[in-house]
Amino acid sequence: MDKFTAIMAEMNNTAILYAKMDLNAAGSAYPTNSFAMANSIVSMAPMRTILAASYGNMCQQFTNSSGNFSSLIIPKPANEISSDRMSDIVRKTAVLISVEHNHQIWLTFEKCVTFGNKHFVKIYDGPYSTSPLLLSRSGSRIPFSVRSSSNELYVEFPSYYDVTRGITAVYSSINATSEPFIPGCGGYIKGEGVISTPTYSANPDI
């Protein structure tokens, strides 16, 4: 069994859907998005049923030296959803990033908007959800960039039907280094620009 298959098996054996969803009486499954791999459900239970774990899990693997990914846009349920249950319409999504050996991964966020203290973006330093946790964040504040200690990162994040929520992240492979990583330092600049050493005054009052 390869690593990606093992991850899918692990996800399918773990109940990770965040909450209950409203379904119509006959039950309906959202279509599988081509963005990800997912298992379909043969039959659905009546309304207000906790969906099976295989319905809520999606995973994609990236092996290029750089790339980007975002939360999926899941279809809005046919039934009207009350405002206090908007946070229930969510799918948990996972991405495995694997770059060449002797490299590390630099990952930074361009967008990160989740329901605070309810849906979390989590980054693990390795290929599994049991790898050391590098980041756990919810809310609307964009997290600091992270750097892996190896050539693999595992990222979990929520996907919504509301396009104003979710995440967008970019990653790049960098040469492996033994220098300690300090969160909030370093990163990448997109486009053209100039970086220069700051000028300090000898006069502490200026």
Side-chain angles (χ1 to χ4, degrees):
M1 180 184 297
D2 60 42
K3 186 179 301 179
F4 188 61
T5 302
I7 289 172
M8 289 299 295
E10 174 189 350
M11 294 178 71
N12 286 335
N13 289 327
T14 305
I16 65 169
L17 195 63
Y18 290 108
K20 295 180 180 180
M21 294 185 182
D22 282 324
L23 301 175
N24 58 38
S28 62
Y30 301 137
T32 299
N33 192 297
S34 59
F35 173 90
M37 295 178 62
N39 290 327
S40 62
I41 283 186
V42 176
S43 62
M44 303 290 289
M47 296 176 64
R48 297 183 61 83
T49 299
I50 297 179
L51 303 184
S54 60
Y55 177 73
N57 300 335
M58 297 188 224
C59 188
Q60 185 180 22
Q61 183 177 21
F62 292 94
T63 56
N64 293 334
S65 59
S66 63
N68 63 82
F69 54 91
S70 301
S71 294
L72 305 179
I73 306 301
I74 65 175
K76 184 178 180 179
N79 291 347
E80 191 66 29
I81 304 299
S82 62
S83 59
D84 61 340
R85 300 214 38 230
M86 290 296 183
S87 63
D88 292 348
I89 313 305
V90 62
R91 277 183 179 177
K92 193 172 187 177
T93 312
V95 163
L96 171 63
I97 305 172
S98 301
V99 297
E100 61 183 304
H101 292 288
N102 298 319
H103 280 68
Q104 293 168 305
I105 300 165
W106 186 276
L107 186 146
T108 189
F109 290 89
E110 296 180 339
K111 172 185 175 182
C112 185
V113 182
T114 74
F115 284 92
N117 300 318
K118 189 165 187 178
H119 303 154
F120 288 82
V121 177
K122 294 186 178 183
I123 302 177
Y124 298 90
D125 193 13
Y128 306 109
S129 61
T130 53
S131 302
L133 183 65
L134 284 179
L135 174 79
S136 179
R137 180 66 58 83
S138 70
S140 57
R141 189 176 67 175
I142 293 181
F144 287 130
S145 299
V146 299
R147 188 189 76 190
S148 66
S149 63
S150 69
N151 66 321
E152 293 181 301
L153 276 180
Y154 185 81
V155 187
E156 292 179 343
F157 51 93
S159 289
Y160 303 97
Y161 78 86
D162 180 0
V163 296
T164 65
R165 297 185 182 275
I167 69 107
T168 298
V170 296
Y171 75 89
S172 183
S173 173
I174 60 176
N175 292 326
T177 176
S178 59
E179 292 293 324
F181 174 69
I182 302 175
C185 294
Y188 295 98
I189 295 179
K190 296 182 178 181
E192 298 180 355
V194 177
I195 300 176
S196 61
T197 302
T199 301
Y200 296 96
S201 172
N203 186 344
D205 295 327
I206 298 179

